[in-house]
Amino acid sequence: MLSQKEKLRLSQISGLLYKISKKVRILRHLAWPSSVRYKFFRLGSEKLPEISYPLFNSEELKFELKNVRKKLGDLSIDKWLLKKTNDLEDSVNLLSNCGSPDFYKYSANIYGTPKSKLRDGRTTPMQLSKRFESIMLNQKKVGVEQLDKKPIDVLEIKNKIEEKVHKFFGSKSPEVLIVDSISAKATASSRKIRLRKNAIFTDRDVAQLFNHEAMVHVATTLNGRNQHKMKILGGNYGSITKTQEGLAVFSEFITGSIDIKRMYRIINRVKAIQMAIDGADFIEVYRYFLDQNKLKTEAYENARRIFRGGVLSGGYPFTKDMVYFDGLVRVYNFIRAAISNGRLDVLKLLFSGKIDLDDIPIILEMDKEGLINEPKFLPSWITDKEYLTSFFSFSIFVGEIDHHKTDDYYKRLF
């Protein structure tokens, strides 16, 4: 057991890292003003946007991180805090290289690329995207089309999400806002859920946004902010994105709120990132997205996601949108392994704050040391142990079947 003196030291270091993390706001720093979109369309979508980013004081933050390293010892929690220090420095380096080829180098290190290997050492997000796409195209060939959904006004979506979050979070509910300055259809923090003003929403989006943004992003943020002894668990920075977005997309899957359009959005982003890496510029990627959905504003926003911070003439994009498939596979396999090994107790720790799956051994250790507070906000699918056990028990069994033989059998039936 750790002494109170050691616990206090570790807690203080964690607090310092949390303060630094608040100064490393990646998506906020990379945001484009709405005037860039208006100018792009005014010029006939034929001229590359011109972007300048605010100056980022990396030297001051690196000096603070250097001082944190001096305070670290040799305990396992010290080594974990050192990793967090290095993760934060990666995010600092990312922001200090906006608009340059080096930006892509740091982005690829933090988020990965379409051809990065998943945990099995073989599969890549690009291969996964192509496989998903081929399966969905097979449905179209036999006439299984997505039902037309009537678009819903963003104000109505706002009201529906407000009702849901107030019911779950009570006095801690985030404010739901309609804004014009984000690339995604929606983003979330502990205090605000932002909906993009010009995005097209349907009733299905209410379930998706609630389970993705509120039940994961807002919940893990609020739970992390309640970790008074380990405040870094409330910090948001690049390296935790893969697990956070993986949890969020898994939440859509396990609650049945995912749909084909959503899957195609994720697939198209992976393909577009690879296009940009291979040299496609902003206009070429914009046209690729325009071919997918015929909506100019959506095409622009999707292209903007990939080029924010990067080089608009191609070759060096922002690769954050890699994390959805990679993170989903990691989270699915983690929960599957936890249930297979009789470790349901670790699942709630996924919501103890903004963590990476690799943090779990240290989170367990800190939990035993009394350094972790019980997460207050947990989605129903994580607390329903009977459902998860039943679902993954079947999944584990089915995963061990030789599907090549069964597929051949059913093909003959078809």
Side-chain angles (χ1 to χ4, degrees):
M1 295 292 289
L2 295 174
S3 67
Q4 285 301 120
K5 183 178 179 180
E6 287 285 24
K7 289 180 180 180
L8 179 60
R9 179 183 66 83
L10 294 167
S11 180
Q12 289 173 339
I13 294 172
S14 175
L16 290 173
L17 289 175
Y18 173 67
K19 286 181 180 178
I20 295 170
S21 75
K22 293 182 72 175
K23 302 174 186 177
V24 188
R25 305 288 193 178
I26 293 176
L27 298 186
R28 184 180 299 179
H29 188 84
L30 301 182
W32 292 10
S34 55
S35 58
V36 176
R37 180 178 71 236
Y38 300 142
K39 185 176 181 181
F40 178 74
F41 288 136
R42 192 170 68 246
L43 296 175
S45 311
E46 295 291 339
K47 189 175 185 302
L48 290 177
E50 296 177 359
I51 307 295
S52 60
Y53 297 97
L55 290 175
F56 188 75
N57 193 350
S58 62
E59 293 306 313
E60 179 184 327
L61 290 176
K62 286 184 178 181
F63 179 75
E64 291 180 30
L65 290 168
K66 183 179 179 181
N67 285 336
V68 167
R69 289 189 181 97
K70 292 177 180 178
K71 300 176 186 294
L72 293 169
D74 296 324
L75 299 173
S76 55
I77 299 177
D78 281 299
K79 294 174 182 176
W80 176 73
L81 289 169
L82 175 60
K83 182 181 181 300
K84 295 298 166 187
T85 305
N86 295 336
D87 289 343
L88 281 167
E89 187 154 16
D90 282 343
S91 294
V92 169
N93 286 328
L94 179 81
L95 294 184
S96 59
N97 284 280
C98 284
S100 77
D102 280 344
F103 176 87
Y104 166 69
K105 178 181 72 175
Y106 290 109
S107 176
N109 183 50
I110 294 169
Y111 304 108
T113 71
K115 295 184 179 179
S116 299
K117 294 288 194 299
L118 301 182
R119 284 296 169 91
D120 65 358
R122 296 181 303 170
T123 314
T124 67
M126 179 60 79
Q127 291 171 332
L128 192 57
S129 297
K130 289 179 178 178
R131 181 59 179 148
F132 272 126
E133 186 174 34
S134 69
I135 293 170
M136 289 189 288
L137 286 173
N138 282 337
Q139 312 315 309
K140 286 191 174 183
K141 289 176 184 176
V142 295
V144 181
E145 299 287 350
Q146 188 183 30
L147 293 174
D148 290 333
K149 297 184 180 71
K150 182 181 178 182
I152 297 176
D153 183 77
V154 66
L155 182 59
E156 186 177 345
I157 291 287
K158 172 183 180 294
N159 293 336
K160 289 184 175 184
I161 292 175
E162 273 180 339
E163 182 180 351
K164 282 178 169 287
V165 296
H166 285 150
K167 185 177 180 180
F168 184 78
F169 293 104
S171 62
K172 296 288 185 178
S173 295
E175 184 180 6
V176 183
L177 301 172
I178 299 171
V179 301
D180 193 34
S181 58
I182 58 175
S183 296
K185 292 178 76 170
T187 63
S189 67
S190 62
R191 294 185 178 89
K192 296 175 183 177
I193 293 177
R194 296 176 175 87
L195 307 174
R196 198 175 78 235
K197 182 179 179 180
N198 56 20
I200 295 176
F201 295 95
T202 67
D203 251 333
R204 192 67 169 257
D205 287 313
V206 176
Q208 284 181 13
L209 293 173
F210 178 68
N211 285 292
H212 184 112
E213 302 292 347
M215 299 306 287
V216 174
H217 293 324
V218 174
T220 54
T221 300
L222 289 173
N223 291 334
R225 297 282 167 85
N226 191 44
Q227 300 296 350
H228 306 301
K229 295 174 184 176
M230 278 292 149
K231 286 190 173 182
I232 189 57
L233 293 174
N236 202 354
Y237 44 95
S239 64
I240 52 89
T241 308
K242 197 169 289 185
T243 298
Q244 292 303 304
E245 296 297 356
L247 267 176
V249 177
F250 180 79
S251 184
E252 294 180 51
F253 266 98
I254 202 72
T255 58
S257 53
I258 198 84
D259 62 10
I260 290 177
K261 280 189 177 181
R262 170 67 166 151
M263 289 297 294
Y264 267 121
R265 285 202 299 271
I266 297 173
I267 289 168
N268 290 335
R269 289 171 190 170
V270 174
K271 293 168 69 175
I273 288 171
Q274 189 59 51
M275 285 175 59
I277 292 171
D278 291 339
D281 65 18
F282 180 89
I283 295 172
E284 291 172 292
V285 172
Y286 163 76
R287 289 172 179 165
Y288 166 74
F289 281 116
L290 191 59
D291 285 342
Q292 307 307 309
N293 60 22
K294 312 303 180 187
L295 299 171
K296 289 185 177 181
T297 301
E298 285 296 311
Y300 171 87
E301 295 300 343
N302 280 317
R304 175 165 71 130
R305 291 177 69 97
I306 290 166
F307 282 90
R308 50 188 169 171
V311 178
L312 274 69
S313 57
Y316 310 98
F318 184 41
T319 61
K320 173 186 173 288
D321 283 344
M322 293 309 315
V323 301
Y324 294 94
F325 273 151
D326 192 344
L328 171 62
V329 171
R330 288 174 187 239
V331 167
Y332 178 91
N333 284 333
F334 176 85
I335 297 175
R336 179 181 179 275
I339 291 172
S340 179
N341 289 278
R343 292 304 305 271
L344 285 166
D345 58 304
V346 305
L347 296 185
K348 67 179 179 181
L349 294 178
L350 289 173
F351 284 81
S352 56
K354 298 293 186 181
I355 71 166
D356 182 84
L357 286 179
D358 292 340
D359 297 337
I360 288 296
I362 296 299
I363 299 293
L364 285 165
E365 181 181 338
M366 292 191 296
D367 190 38
K368 290 179 182 177
E369 294 285 356
L371 292 170
I372 301 291
N373 291 329
E374 188 91 359
K376 179 179 179 181
F377 299 107
L378 296 169
S380 58
W381 60 262
I382 205 80
T383 57
D384 191 347
K385 301 295 194 298
E386 290 192 9
Y387 174 66
L388 276 181
T389 301
S390 301
F391 178 89
F392 278 96
S393 295
F394 182 71
S395 170
I396 292 164
F397 168 73
V398 171
E400 294 170 350
I401 293 175
D402 185 344
H403 291 287
H404 292 294
K405 291 182 178 179
T406 58
D407 284 351
D408 288 341
Y409 169 75
Y410 288 114
K411 281 179 184 176
R412 290 195 297 272
L413 292 185
F414 300 150

